[in-house]
Amino acid sequence: GDKMEIKNSIAKRLKKNLFFGFGVALVVTIIGIYLTFKVLIDKESKSSLEKTALSLKESIYWQGQNDLKDPFLLAESSEVKRIYLSLKNEVGDLSKVTDENRKIFEKYGRQLRDTVEPILSRLEKETGERPKIHFHLPGPRSFVRTWKKPGEDVKLDDLSGFRFAVASAQKSQKPVTGIEPGREGLVYRAIIPIVVNGEVVGSVEGGNHLSIYLERFLKAKPSLTHYAIILKKD
């Protein structure tokens, strides 16, 4: 009887150990499968995210390059250059606005607005969107904001303390494009210097809010439904 009890006890223990071992093996297998799939999914997600990021950068770049044509057209306009040169002949230094010469700057600013208005209206008819064109003076200093109504469009405020892209374009005499913060958020800007006989007499800026570019990108990517813009303080 004792021998039978011992045999039954050993059998029970073996059976228990067998089930326990099988359970451990099953759990280990499940964890292994989960980790394998997780690594694969994470790798696939990372690859998909990288592809999306690259596609987005390319999309923004090419949309920005397309926006480059309007300010370039105006920067090369002989009529625009004539107005800047006429102003320079009258005031001497285009970067210095004083109480004495302010009225002269404002007069030529209104002339510039009147001169480019037909061009902007034509571009609006062709594209369905009115270009937001900002003319600058050297310094840089604001000259004419074409999206403002007459009377509010000619502003001669100093931009040198915060519009570094404009300063860079004027200093290098080369176009500058890229994303820059503004009063209404992030804007993809294209800035073209106005150069006459090797001298920068001003610059022209065009562009669009980054949100417009992102919305266009989303339309081409139906699998993407939302986006967030996260900015570092610096």
Side-chain angles (χ1 to χ4, degrees):
D2 291 339
K3 289 182 179 180
M4 286 297 295
E5 288 180 6
I6 292 171
K7 286 182 180 180
N8 290 336
S9 178
I10 292 172
K12 286 180 180 179
R13 287 181 183 179
L14 288 173
K15 190 175 181 182
K16 183 178 180 181
N17 289 339
L18 182 63
F19 276 112
F20 179 75
F22 177 76
V24 170
L26 182 62
V27 170
V28 170
T29 302
I30 291 172
I31 292 174
I33 293 173
Y34 167 76
L35 291 175
T36 300
F37 272 102
K38 187 176 186 303
V39 169
L40 291 174
I41 291 170
D42 288 347
K43 187 176 180 180
E44 183 65 28
S45 297
K46 184 178 179 182
S47 176
S48 177
L49 184 61
E50 288 175 349
K51 289 178 181 177
T52 300
L54 180 61
S55 179
L56 175 59
K57 287 179 181 178
E58 290 178 348
S59 173
I60 291 174
Y61 172 78
W62 287 115
Q63 289 185 67
Q65 289 298 302
N66 185 60
D67 285 339
L68 190 70
K69 68 180 187 302
D70 293 338
F72 182 81
L73 172 70
L74 293 167
E76 291 300 313
S77 166
S78 58
E79 283 298 301
V80 169
K81 290 182 177 180
R82 179 187 61 77
I83 291 172
Y84 271 90
L85 287 177
S86 296
L87 173 58
K88 186 177 186 301
N89 289 334
E90 196 161 340
V91 298
D93 190 344
L94 289 173
S95 65
K96 290 185 178 179
V97 178
T98 64
D99 292 338
E100 288 74 23
N101 64 20
R102 179 174 291 273
K103 294 295 183 183
I104 300 173
F105 277 96
E106 291 174 348
K107 178 184 70 174
Y108 281 98
R110 289 190 293 271
Q111 284 187 22
L112 181 59
R113 173 64 182 264
D114 292 342
T115 298
V116 301
E117 191 61 35
I119 300 174
L120 298 180
S121 296
R122 177 169 55 81
L123 290 172
E124 184 178 9
K125 287 180 181 179
E126 291 175 356
T127 64
E129 295 181 8
R130 181 178 175 84
K132 283 189 174 183
I133 300 296
H134 190 181
F135 288 92
H136 317 117
L137 294 164
R141 184 181 291 275
S142 179
F143 194 17
V144 179
R145 293 178 171 92
T146 61
W147 63 93
K148 298 286 187 179
K149 62 183 181 181
E152 298 178 0
D153 51 347
V154 181
K155 296 290 184 180
L156 304 170
D157 41 313
D158 185 2
L159 307 177
S160 61
F162 60 99
R163 291 305 314 279
F164 305 117
V166 178
S168 177
Q170 292 185 356
K171 184 178 180 180
S172 67
Q173 298 192 12
K174 294 179 180 179
V176 171
T177 61
I179 298 171
E180 191 179 36
R183 288 189 179 92
E184 299 176 9
L186 290 177
V187 179
Y188 192 100
R189 304 184 191 274
I191 304 161
I192 313 295
I194 303 173
V195 183
V196 180
N197 299 325
E199 179 186 0
V200 173
V201 295
S203 52
V204 191
E205 175 185 342
N208 268 314
H209 291 292
L210 183 61
S211 59
I212 293 176
Y213 289 8
L214 291 172
E215 292 296 340
R216 291 173 182 170
F217 181 75
L218 287 178
K219 286 182 180 179
K221 300 281 185 179
S223 60
L224 301 175
T225 57
H226 298 79
Y227 66 84
I229 300 174
I230 302 173
L231 296 179
K232 293 182 178 180
K233 188 176 179 180
D234 57 354

